[in-house]
Amino acid sequence: MSQSVCRFPAGFFWGAATSAHQVEGGNRWNDWWRFEQRPGAIRDGTASGDACRHWERFDQDFARARGYGHTMHRLSLEWSRIEPARGRRDGAAIAHYHEVLASLRRHGLVPLVTLHHFTNPLWIADAGGWEERATVDRFCDFVRFCAREYGGEVDWWCTVNEPEVYAFRAYSEGVWPPAKRDDGAALAVMANLLEAHGRAYRILHEEDRVDADGDGQAVRAGFAKHLVQLVPDRWWMPLDALRARAEDAVFNQAVMRAVVSGEIRLGIPGVKGVRRRVPELERSLDFFGLNYYTRWRVRMFAPDPHVTRRGVPLNDLGWEVWPRGLAAAAQRAAACGAPVLVTEHGFADAADKFRPRAVVESLVHLGRAIERGTPVLGYLHWSLMDNFEWADGTRARFGLERVDFDDPARPRTPRASAGVLARIARANAVERTLAAEVGARV
Ligand code: FCB
């Protein structure tokens, strides 16, 4: 037997993550679809359109995921399909997701179901979206419905994906719908999404009483947090350090504090902040869903405060590739007191040039952190296949599989990385031979 560089704990989950709007195709009833029709909204001029046609092809997609040794799969339920108008639920969409969940089970994949992944039904967007507290109530109705409807098939739930990313991109940078540039609104939205997470967490525990996988627990609920590392670009410049700390305080620390203590305290100098206590938020994680991609180097006085350094490896979107970061982020996440589940990690790399090595190096660092005591339950790669990468369109290629968007059938072709991750998943370890093959420095 080949020697391993590191081994993962028994029962460690392996898999990939997706979200409905990015892969399904035909999601016409949400705010993203409407936004994509605006000229210039999507950088490469594409739109989600048919996306990957996963809506029709899910069963084959899951069969291949199983072939790669995956044991868990993260997907999201599209609220706008299930409830296209307030209080009116669509029977066909509801039945479709039952088929999707049954297919996952058939292929031996444990479903991890996200309830909010950036998109909103048009009727929610038109009523003021996440700036309105009423949206939290409407979302809670949706969560209650899903817990009752799908609780018999689902134990693992992710309430809200990346509240901080959504709030800043959509309400501060203005590059996602509703394209506002208002930091105060961004903080209000982030607070509402955090409250929504806390309340959804309690609802799931109340309503989903069925232990679908027979492990003794009917519900494991968490959120997914984009835990980017913020570091001063010039370590000798106190102002860079100050800015890095200030950004970290609102983007990371405040979010992590809220889900542990129940206290929402969001502030940006010169902007109306939010302070409120949400009792449901206190200790509202059965797992910490960790999304990790990169670190940001921060400069105080720069047109874009996040800068890149010459000579630093970058992915196709210009994000720094820093394989040690995944383990560092997992250690930080674990300080919240819940076990960590890596709900996203990946690289935009159309040519699959550096992904195999970066995946191996990241997993070796993660494996070693686990050996030193960081509790991590599993690793889900973003993504199973190339998909619609929001404002970057289809040019950003994050897939273990390449998707041909010029072909209406959307054929998928596995990249070498799919095989690399499959070998790790099947061995539940990184073997020395694999590390050497991909040129990993471990
Ligand atoms: C994350 C999102 C996911 C995908 C990846 C690349 O922030 O949750 O939908 O876009 O980035």
Side-chain angles (χ1 to χ4, degrees):
M1 214 174 102
S2 154
Q3 275 191 330
S4 53
V5 187
C6 68
R7 302 198 65 78
F8 292 85
F12 194 79
F13 290 114
W14 294 100
T18 59
S19 86
H21 190 73
Q22 293 177 274
V23 295
E24 284 178 351
N27 273 321
R28 294 163 193 278
W29 305 276
N30 70 32
D31 52 351
W32 261 93
W33 182 281
R34 184 165 64 188
F35 178 70
E36 292 158 24
Q37 316 308 315
R38 287 197 202 171
I42 309 300
R43 244 167 249 157
D44 62 0
T46 57
S48 62
D50 286 342
C52 307
R53 298 185 62 183
H54 180 67
W55 184 258
E56 303 129 74
R57 304 191 48 184
F58 63 88
D59 194 59
Q60 303 144 40
D61 291 336
F62 299 153
R64 290 193 317 284
R66 184 56 185 181
Y68 301 140
H70 295 188
T71 53
M72 183 180 254
H73 183 77
R74 179 175 174 221
L75 71 160
S76 70
L77 302 179
E78 177 60 32
W79 184 4
S80 64
R81 284 200 192 257
I82 292 179
E83 194 177 359
R86 182 172 173 190
R88 185 170 70 72
R89 304 228 160 82
D90 184 284
I94 294 165
H96 172 88
Y97 286 118
H98 279 297
E99 279 174 38
V100 168
L101 293 168
S103 163
L104 285 168
R105 288 259 165 233
R106 236 183 1 261
H107 294 297
L109 296 164
V110 173
L112 167 60
V113 170
T114 306
L115 294 161
H116 189 268
H117 198 124
F118 299 158
T119 57
N120 300 298
L122 283 171
W123 59 271
I124 284 284
D126 292 340
W130 285 94
E131 281 173 273
E132 296 297 323
R133 289 290 282 282
T135 293
V136 182
D137 299 332
R138 299 291 82 75
F139 177 68
C140 287
D141 296 340
F142 172 66
V143 172
R144 193 176 303 279
F145 171 79
C146 292
R148 288 181 184 164
E149 183 71 30
Y150 299 113
E153 293 133 282
V154 179
D155 287 348
W156 293 82
W157 298 94
C158 174
T159 54
V160 172
N161 184 65
E162 300 184 347
E164 61 294 316
V165 172
Y166 174 77
F168 281 107
R169 285 221 187 283
Y171 290 87
S172 168
E173 295 165 39
V175 292
W176 290 1
K180 289 202 175 174
R181 295 176 68 95
D182 174 350
D183 284 342
L187 297 183
V189 164
M190 209 162 135
N192 286 341
L193 282 165
L194 286 170
E195 176 169 345
H197 157 70
R199 289 172 56 187
Y201 175 86
R202 304 295 155 191
I203 292 170
L204 291 165
H205 276 279
E206 272 159 41
E207 300 287 350
D208 174 2
R209 302 264 173 192
V210 188
D211 177 7
D213 58 16
D215 69 350
Q217 275 181 280
V219 174
R220 311 267 203 126
F223 74 157
K225 160 98 190 80
H226 186 98
L227 195 45
V228 67
Q229 318 272 319
L230 288 137
V231 292
D233 181 44
R234 298 159 297 180
W235 54 265
W236 64 94
M237 281 289 274
L239 288 179
D240 288 2
L242 196 72
R243 176 151 194 157
R245 264 205 308 277
E247 287 195 17
D248 187 73
V250 62
F251 197 86
N252 291 327
Q253 241 176 285
V255 174
M256 294 166 73
R257 191 198 305 114
V259 293
V260 174
S261 69
E263 297 290 341
I264 299 179
R265 266 190 254 156
L266 303 174
I268 296 176
V271 172
K272 185 169 178 278
V274 185
R275 280 178 92 99
R276 75 172 180 263
R277 178 164 172 73
V278 176
E280 295 94 331
L281 248 182
E282 193 177 333
R283 296 169 59 87
S284 57
L285 296 182
D286 301 325
F287 65 87
F288 187 115
L290 170 65
N291 292 359
Y292 172 78
Y293 288 92
T294 189
R295 67 174 160 187
W296 292 336
R297 293 171 186 269
V298 180
R299 260 189 194 231
M300 184 56 117
F301 300 111
D304 177 352
H306 302 155
V307 297
T308 46
R309 278 265 176 109
R310 236 196 303 178
V312 160
L314 302 178
N315 79 7
D316 295 351
L317 288 174
W319 305 356
E320 180 174 346
V321 176
W322 186 46
R324 281 181 185 278
L326 176 64
Q331 276 158 343
R332 188 168 179 199
C336 282
V340 176
L341 177 59
V342 178
T343 37
E344 290 183 28
H345 171 253
F347 307 91
D349 178 15
D352 211 32
K353 224 170 32 224
F354 57 84
R355 190 187 284 105
R357 174 176 154 195
V359 165
V360 168
E361 289 180 354
S362 303
L363 285 171
V364 169
H365 290 302
L366 184 71
R368 288 185 179 147
I370 297 171
E371 283 164 7
R372 287 194 301 269
T374 304
V376 185
L377 302 169
Y379 171 88
L380 306 178
H381 191 83
W382 184 273
S383 180
L384 180 58
M385 58 199 142
D386 293 338
N387 56 49
F388 177 71
E389 178 49 34
W390 309 114
D392 287 299
T394 52
R395 78 183 177 131
R397 303 301 188 110
F398 279 93
L400 294 171
E401 299 178 333
R402 176 179 180 275
V403 173
D404 182 353
F405 291 100
D406 295 327
D407 184 329
R410 301 291 191 268
R412 290 92 156 107
T413 317
R415 293 192 166 99
S417 291
V420 166
L421 187 59
R423 280 168 68 183
I424 298 173
R426 288 198 204 102
N428 204 31
V430 177
E431 308 288 8
R432 264 193 200 291
T433 43
L434 175 66
E437 272 171 47
V438 299
R441 289 206 207 123
V442 288

